[in-house]
Amino acid sequence: MAVVQHELTMSEAADLLSSALPGHRVEILQGRLTVTPPPDGSHALALTWLVVAFDRAGARKAGLRYVQGVGLWLPTLPQDFAIPDFAVVDEDFRDAHVRKNCYAPNVFRLVVEVTSSNWSDDLGPKVECYAQAGIPVYVIADRKHDEVLLYQDPVDGKYAKPQHYKRGQSVPVPEVVGVALELSVDTLLDGD
């Protein structure tokens, strides 16, 4: 009996993991497979609150859409992609479909990550990947360190040092996103 062995590509391995681990988020960041567990209640509530906040700020009327768990194709390596927790995208983002339910980075105006047990990915590789992709604004609700970080305006594929916001403060959404809004640090960290 002949046995045929086939080495999986990174993309094939990601697909298998996604099928085997329902509710988990599988991404390829800088050529490395990452798996994020399902969100806890506070994480989910923070994302729901963001939908309401951007809706009240008139994002749809401004020609924007806000989405959760939509793939972002990354230019870092050929198979790299991320699935941000929350993003503000151009109204016609669906026209920028690349593959695997991922969209080109040029339609993303803001990406938000709420940290989970794999917080180091949000604070390390994703900062680099999102900057290289040219994402104008990256907000991290860093529940590990109890603060919110704001990265913006990448230059030559790098963000400058982030602005740090503590509890009791609000994070101003940069003008480039297209809506005027302040985000409560406490709500980003705890949900509403």
Side-chain angles (χ1 to χ4, degrees), residues 31-51:
R32 182 176 57 88
L33 269 173
T34 67
V35 180
T36 306
D40 62 25
S42 294
H43 185 286
L45 286 171
L47 299 181
T48 300
W49 172 75
L50 282 168
V51 169

Side-chain angles (χ1 to χ4, degrees), residues 37 39-40 48 64 84 91 124 136 150-151 155 162 169 181:
D40 62 25
T48 300
L64 303 170
E91 181 175 44
L150 172 64
Y151 289 92
V155 175
Q169 295 181 311
L181 178 63

Side-chain angles (χ1 to χ4, degrees), residues 63-67 70-71 88-98 101-104 106-108:
L64 303 170
R65 296 294 180 261
Y66 27 88
V67 293
V70 169
V88 174
V89 294
D90 294 339
E91 181 175 44
D92 61 352
F93 79 97
R94 288 173 279 202
D95 294 340
H97 181 259
V98 177
N101 296 323
C102 292
Y103 298 87
N106 63 296
V107 298
F108 288 77

